[in-house]
Amino acid sequence: LCCIKSESNADMKEPMKYPGVGTGVWVRKEGKVLLGKRKTSQAGTWCPPGGKLDMYETPEVCAVRETLEETGLEVRDLRLITVTNDMTPADNTHFVTFVFVADWTGGDVHTIEPEKFETWEWFEWDKLPQPLFGPTRNFVETGYNPLKI
């Protein structure tokens, strides 16, 4: 289980009939990772940039696009960490998530989608904020550390 935004039923037009496909990107900078504080599903929790694949889009292109759209940051050295199975019955969502690690290339992070995120901040791996978004918490519990990959 992993780290990507799942929309609540209130945010979706109809309940999911099949799993969706998403991405999560652990962006690294100077020994820290980037997390955003959510305003949508599971508001007040923290997660890395990411989102749902568009039709005919590769997971890699989605990961780079979502990071830029949500934070304004460009990344390099994008690498797949794992693929996870994120089920959130309370929200009636189920996503298969491609989890990536990437390196910050420069610039300042911005809250480009203020309707979705309150803020973006850099955290040391052993000092992640709480509470974590459910899929993010599940990813952290797998034992992967994006700073050591």
Side-chain angles (χ1 to χ4, degrees), residues 52-63 65-66 69:
K52 295 180 265 186
L53 265 71
D54 288 340
M55 188 63 79
Y56 307 115
E57 183 176 48
T58 67
E60 294 82 2
V61 168
C62 177
R65 175 184 57 78
E66 287 284 354
E69 287 177 359

Side-chain angles (χ1 to χ4, degrees), residues 26 28 33 81 101 125-126 139-140 142-149:
W26 291 92
R28 304 182 298 192
V33 293
I81 299 174
V101 63
W125 187 251
D126 61 350
F139 171 77
V140 169
T142 68
Y144 284 108
N145 180 339
L147 296 172
K148 295 184 178 183
I149 293 174

Side-chain angles (χ1 to χ4, degrees), residues 121-135:
E121 297 179 28
W122 298 98
F123 296 95
E124 295 176 15
W125 187 251
D126 61 350
K127 296 179 182 173
L128 296 178
Q130 297 296 324
L132 294 174
F133 180 54

Side-chain angles (χ1 to χ4, degrees), residues 5 47-51 65-73 109-113 116-117 120:
K5 304 175 285 220
C47 69
R65 175 184 57 78
E66 287 284 354
T67 300
L68 181 62
E69 287 177 359
E70 292 178 348
T71 70
L73 295 180
V109 66
H110 299 283
T111 305
I112 295 176
E113 297 178 316
K116 294 180 181 179
F117 290 94
W120 291 95

Side-chain angles (χ1 to χ4, degrees), residues 15-78:
M16 294 180 78
K17 294 180 183 175
Y18 303 98
V21 179
T23 62
V25 185
W26 291 92
V27 180
R28 304 182 298 192
K29 174 187 172 186
E30 300 170 358
K32 296 181 179 181
V33 293
L34 182 65
L35 294 176
K37 191 171 187 181
R38 300 173 57 82
K39 284 186 171 179
T40 58
S41 174
Q42 299 183 40
T45 61
W46 295 82
C47 69
K52 295 180 265 186
L53 265 71
D54 288 340
M55 188 63 79
Y56 307 115
E57 183 176 48
T58 67
E60 294 82 2
V61 168
C62 177
V64 171
R65 175 184 57 78
E66 287 284 354
T67 300
L68 181 62
E69 287 177 359
E70 292 178 348
T71 70
L73 295 180
E74 294 185 13
V75 294
R76 68 171 201 264
D77 299 329
L78 183 77

